[in-house]
């Protein structure tokens, strides 16, 4: 599995960092998503983060 994050699309809602903190974080300045682990071991958490993200800024691919 691969995780991706598009900082240009992110609105800084923070759901991803709450649900999958090993995969997604937020920068200190704007609160936009930071990809912490592009090959997450916990796919379920990463998928849930994608489901909850309001902007469609993150994705996971097989
Ligand atoms: S949940 Fe989506 S909009 Fe919110 S910080 Fe994460 S990527 Fe950005």
């Amino acid at each position: 599995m691969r995780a991706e994050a598009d900082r240009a699309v992110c609105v800084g809602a923070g759901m991803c960092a709450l649900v999958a903190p090993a995969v997604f974080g937020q920068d200190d300045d704007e609160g936009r998503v930071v990809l912490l682990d592009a090959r997450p071991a916990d796919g379920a958490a990463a998928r849930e983060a994608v489901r909850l993200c309001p902007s469609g800024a993150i994705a996971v691919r097989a």
Side-chain angles (χ1 to χ4, degrees):
M1 170 179 289
R2 280 190 44 176
E4 301 171 358
D6 185 343
R7 289 173 51 81
V9 175
C10 174
V11 297
M15 293 306 297
C16 57
L18 279 176
V19 173
V23 184
F24 302 107
Q26 290 176 274
D27 69 50
D28 291 335
D29 296 332
E30 298 176 313
R32 294 194 192 214
V33 65
V34 177
L35 184 61
L36 302 176
D37 185 357
R39 297 269 184 189
D42 186 353
R47 273 191 290 271
E48 180 69 357
V50 170
R51 190 180 73 80
L52 292 173
C53 174
S55 68
I58 53 177
V60 291
R61 306 189 194 288

